[in-house]
């Protein structure tokens, strides 16, 4: 017995969902609601203007003056040890004034997390000359903590070697950044730092 020939069916259309189907209308209303919410959020963000601190004279920060409060980051301590730089003395050589290195709870927590390999950095951070700043925010991510603190109070110099953190801090006017350059501390965005090497 031979194979039965299949005949082509003519004028048979594929089944399509109608435009008034409740599944389609439900999705369309959801999309419209999300778009409306996003537009509302954008309008609110555009209307909100950050207040400029009274200590700022254009890009110059009048609140900065000796003794300088220096917020120290985790990697700054580690790189200082690698480059055999004594933090307190090197800061004073760079700024030619008294400096108070400040360490937040988040930076201390980050140093403790690094383990026994960085125990020297942890011991250095517990130096009584370093001022300990308590943190009240949630979480213990040091970069966000330092950024938030220098946005609230423009009386700090931030000491870091982290490129991402530097990029974020550069967006905040009037906050100088201390970093390590050719085995010396250098500072940017601070005209009166006469001890800093000129690039």
């Amino acid at each position: 017995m031979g194979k039965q020939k299949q005949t082509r069916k003519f004028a048979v259309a594929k089944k399509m969902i109608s435009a008034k189907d409740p599944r389609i209308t439900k999705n369309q209303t959801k999309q419209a609601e999300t778009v409306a919410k996003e537009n509302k959020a954008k309008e609110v963000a555009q209307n909100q203007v950050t207040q400029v601190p009274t200590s700022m004279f254009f890009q110059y920060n009048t609140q900065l003056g000796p003794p300088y409060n220096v917020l120290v980051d985790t990697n700054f301590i580690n790189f200082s040890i690698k480059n055999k730089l004594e933090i307190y003395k090197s800061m004073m050589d760079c700024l030619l004034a008294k400096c108070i290195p400040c360490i937040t709870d988040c930076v201390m927590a980050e140093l403790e997390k690094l383990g026994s390999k960085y125990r020297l950095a942890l011991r250095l951070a517990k130096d009584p000359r370093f001022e300990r700043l308590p943190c009240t925010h949630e979480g213990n991510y040091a970069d966000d903590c330092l950024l938030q603190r220098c946005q609230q109070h423009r009386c700090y110099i931030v000491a870091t070697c982290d490129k991402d953190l530097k990029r974020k801090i550069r967006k905040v006017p009037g906050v100088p950044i201390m970093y390590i350059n050719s085995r010396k501390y250098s500072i940017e965005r601070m005209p009166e730092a006469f001890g800093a090497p000129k690039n």
Side-chain angles (χ1 to χ4, degrees), residues 60-72 87-103 129-131 133 153-159 174-178 185 187-196:
Y60 181 73
N61 191 352
T62 57
Q63 215 170 31
L64 282 172
Y68 295 105
N69 292 314
V70 185
L71 280 175
V72 183
I87 294 175
Y88 201 74
K89 185 178 172 294
S90 301
M91 276 183 186
M92 287 177 55
D93 289 344
C94 177
L95 294 167
L96 299 177
K98 189 184 177 193
C99 299
I100 303 164
C102 304
I103 287 197
R129 291 179 295 181
F130 283 50
E131 191 180 315
L133 302 172
H153 315 286
R154 302 283 168 93
C155 60
Y156 293 112
I157 296 168
V158 181
V175 180
I177 302 165
M178 190 180 275
Y185 287 174
I187 197 158
E188 65 178 61
R189 303 202 305 175
M190 193 167 175
E192 63 267 34
F194 300 112

Side-chain angles (χ1 to χ4, degrees), residues 18 97 160:
S18 69
T160 184

Side-chain angles (χ1 to χ4, degrees), residues 53-144:
T54 53
S55 63
M56 296 296 293
F57 180 75
F58 297 104
Q59 290 290 313
Y60 181 73
N61 191 352
T62 57
Q63 215 170 31
L64 282 172
Y68 295 105
N69 292 314
V70 185
L71 280 175
V72 183
D73 191 21
T74 316
N75 54 28
F76 189 79
I77 297 171
N78 294 334
F79 278 107
S80 296
I81 293 165
K82 277 181 188 173
N83 289 308
K84 295 175 181 168
L85 292 166
E86 207 273 288
I87 294 175
Y88 201 74
K89 185 178 172 294
S90 301
M91 276 183 186
M92 287 177 55
D93 289 344
C94 177
L95 294 167
L96 299 177
K98 189 184 177 193
C99 299
I100 303 164
C102 304
I103 287 197
T104 61
D105 288 346
C106 297
V107 173
M108 283 301 265
E110 209 173 78
L111 280 167
E112 284 164 7
K113 274 185 198 169
L114 289 171
S116 60
K117 194 179 177 185
Y118 295 95
R119 63 179 177 271
L120 180 62
L122 187 63
R123 244 177 56 203
L124 231 164
K126 287 178 179 174
D127 189 322
R129 291 179 295 181
F130 283 50
E131 191 180 315
R132 187 80 181 268
L133 302 172
C135 294
T136 52
H137 59 84
E138 291 176 8
N140 56 2
Y141 184 54
D143 289 12
D144 289 346

Side-chain angles (χ1 to χ4, degrees), residues 50-56 61 63 71 142-158 165-176 189:
T50 53
Q51 191 175 356
V52 179
T54 53
S55 63
M56 296 296 293
N61 191 352
Q63 215 170 31
L71 280 175
D143 289 12
D144 289 346
C145 173
L146 294 174
L147 184 67
Q148 186 185 351
R149 202 173 275 273
C150 72
Q151 280 174 337
Q152 284 175 347
H153 315 286
R154 302 283 168 93
C155 60
Y156 293 112
I157 296 168
V158 181
L165 182 59
K166 275 187 191 176
R167 197 181 307 119
K168 287 176 188 173
I169 290 169
R170 281 188 191 114
K171 291 175 186 172
V172 183
V175 180
R189 303 202 305 175

